[in-house]
Amino acid sequence: MSYDIVWEFRLPATRASEFEHAYGPRGPWVQLFRRAPGYIETQLLRDAEDAARYLTVDRWESRESFEAFRHRHRADYDALDQQLEGLATSETRLGAFEAIP
């Protein structure tokens, strides 16, 4: 079973390339997440019908793995979040989901 956190982002077309780099599989978020045991992967999805809408799915082995990461890397997480502030016009946490085996 995995613990998946889903975020929705909206952004102007002029920021798409920069956003895709920052939130994609080689971007700084993934580099930060990879420091933690229990991190599996991040998927970046662009809406096929609305190019201004993106989703990220951050997959962890368990909720405990994610919480341990947040506790251990809180300062780095907050600093990166602040550094990338304004890239998207909106950012909404859609929820945390557990995969059904």
Side-chain angles (χ1 to χ4, degrees):
M1 184 163 36
S2 66
Y3 181 73
D4 301 347
I5 302 165
V6 181
W7 290 86
E8 176 188 53
F9 298 87
R10 294 207 160 266
L11 55 138
T14 58
R15 306 299 299 265
S17 179
E18 188 178 358
F19 178 85
E20 290 173 10
H21 169 74
Y23 288 83
R26 290 181 279 305
W29 280 115
V30 169
Q31 291 174 25
L32 176 59
F33 294 158
R34 283 187 181 148
R35 295 184 197 172
Y39 171 71
I40 299 172
E41 69 175 342
T42 295
Q43 290 184 311
L44 175 61
L45 308 169
R46 182 179 51 234
D47 190 316
E49 297 174 0
D50 180 357
R53 182 177 181 234
Y54 287 79
L55 298 179
T56 60
V57 180
D58 300 320
R59 181 161 287 150
W60 295 83
E61 289 177 0
S62 66
R63 176 183 221 152
E64 294 77 21
S65 296
F66 173 70
E67 294 298 334
F69 158 77
R70 286 288 305 234
H71 178 71
R72 182 174 293 133
H73 297 282
R74 181 70 170 180
D76 293 332
Y77 185 99
D78 291 345
L80 183 56
D81 194 43
Q82 185 175 16
Q83 177 186 342
L84 297 173
E85 183 72 30
L87 206 57
T89 55
S90 73
E91 177 179 346
T92 306
R93 185 177 188 268
L94 298 181
F97 302 85
E98 295 177 339
I100 299 171

